[in-house]
Amino acid sequence: MKKNIITLISIAVAILTSCKRELDINVTGITLNTERVLMLPGDQDTLTATLSPANATNPNVIWSSSDKSIVDVRDGIIRANSVGSAKITAKSDDGGLTACCEIVVNEVIVHVDGIGLTDRNGKAPEKIELIKGQTDTLSVNVSPQNATDGSIQWSSSDSTVFTVTDDGIIKATGSGKATLTAYAYDGGFSSSCIICVTNPASRIVLDSTSITMNQYEIRKLNASIEPEDSDARLIWSSDNEELIAVNQLGEIHVLKNNSDANSA
């Protein structure tokens, strides 16, 4: 009887454990509230780690410093110990996912008080027009010039329109309009401009280049634009509207007799 009771208890524990595993919500991501912090020796600051989903079963985060002599961390609270740079890492206890923040400790800090975009001509662009496949380069003027941390983060609001590298090199990837933004880590200043990308036609192909038609006959020409993803549109016209007419569907109407009526 005692053996049966122990067996039943073991089964119950196993069932409860199995149910608990099924109900566990695993961590799928972790982020920090900033990627870079400037500090003076002796300064203290706080980093915040956010787990996703917010209702993960195990919310524990393990903090570490790549160099405790420069900066140490405890429960997200960082303290600058000496001049240099070090990396603070937040790792989820569940899954071991990580997010990092660079800590730069200087004797003196000159903060950024503004930034501005400049093009190849040294002008501040409001809009840049590109053709798909083209590249261009923008730079950033950081004020003051002796700012301790002039690091810039570049971003595209739509990578299907254009992409941008860490050096400000823009590549047009598809037709459309999107916003380029340069962001200063120190101070959170930003500067933006609009990037407009077009994809013109390289050629138009007709299904026939010469046709014979009778008076009052109607025939349709088919045309295709290359490349297929071009944003160009067809506009049909006749060079002799007294002889033949054509509508915007490519339908040809012969108005007078002629042995060879062409439309393009």
Side-chain angles (χ1 to χ4, degrees):
M1 181 66 178
K2 184 176 181 180
K3 183 177 180 181
N4 290 339
I5 293 174
I6 293 174
T7 301
L8 289 172
I9 292 174
S10 299
I11 292 172
V13 170
I15 291 173
L16 288 173
T17 302
S18 176
C19 291
K20 182 179 182 302
R21 288 175 181 170
E22 289 178 2
L23 294 174
D24 279 352
I25 300 174
N26 296 324
V27 174
T28 58
I30 182 172
T31 58
L32 291 175
N33 58 312
T34 184
E35 296 179 1
R36 190 176 174 91
V37 176
L38 291 180
M39 303 180 74
L40 295 169
D43 279 355
Q44 185 172 292
D45 206 340
T46 301
L47 294 177
T48 303
T50 302
L51 298 178
S52 56
N55 61 339
T57 303
N58 182 356
N60 294 331
V61 174
I62 302 167
W63 296 88
S64 63
S65 170
S66 63
D67 192 335
K68 293 182 180 179
S69 67
I70 295 174
V71 60
D72 56 38
V73 59
R74 182 175 182 179
D75 296 329
I77 300 172
I78 54 176
R79 181 177 177 83
N81 298 318
S82 62
V83 173
S85 62
K87 183 172 68 175
I88 297 297
T89 301
K91 182 173 74 171
S92 65
D93 189 34
D94 174 20
L97 304 176
T98 61
C100 299
C101 176
E102 183 181 12
I103 310 298
V104 180
V105 184
N106 289 286
E107 289 289 357
V108 178
I109 296 177
V110 179
H111 287 290
V112 173
D113 59 24
I115 66 171
L117 290 171
T118 56
D119 60 19
R120 295 176 185 269
N121 300 317
K123 297 181 179 180
E126 293 183 1
K127 182 173 70 172
I128 295 176
E129 296 181 348
L130 297 172
I131 294 173
K132 181 182 177 181
Q134 283 186 333
T135 60
D136 201 350
T137 303
L138 290 179
S139 57
V140 175
N141 286 333
V142 177
S143 175
Q145 293 184 353
N146 65 335
T148 302
D149 183 9
S151 301
I152 298 295
Q153 181 183 51
W154 298 85
S155 67
S156 166
S157 64
D158 189 345
S159 60
T160 65
V161 176
F162 76 90
T163 58
V164 60
T165 69
D166 293 339
D167 298 319
I169 300 174
I170 306 162
K171 183 174 182 180
T173 53
S175 299
K177 182 187 297 184
T179 302
L180 177 144
T181 301
Y183 170 84
Y185 284 105
D186 180 23
F189 296 95
S190 64
S191 184
S192 303
C193 76
I194 301 298
I195 308 296
C196 298
V197 179
T198 56
N199 187 19
S202 59
R203 69 171 185 155
I204 298 173
V205 180
L206 293 174
D207 61 357
S208 180
T209 57
S210 178
I211 57 175
T212 301
M213 299 176 65
N214 298 317
Q215 187 177 13
Y216 307 129
E217 186 179 352
I218 298 175
R219 189 175 298 183
K220 188 177 187 306
L221 273 178
N222 294 306
S224 59
I225 297 175
E226 296 180 356
E228 291 183 358
D229 62 348
S230 170
D231 50 18
R233 66 186 184 91
L234 291 170
I235 300 176
W236 295 85
S237 64
S238 167
D239 64 0
N240 188 342
E241 294 182 351
E242 292 184 0
L243 180 64
I244 57 174
V246 61
N247 62 24
Q248 294 308 306
L249 297 176
E251 295 173 338
I252 303 168
H253 300 248
V254 179
L255 306 177
K256 294 182 179 180
N257 277 323
N258 194 289
S259 60
D260 188 14
N262 297 322
S263 174

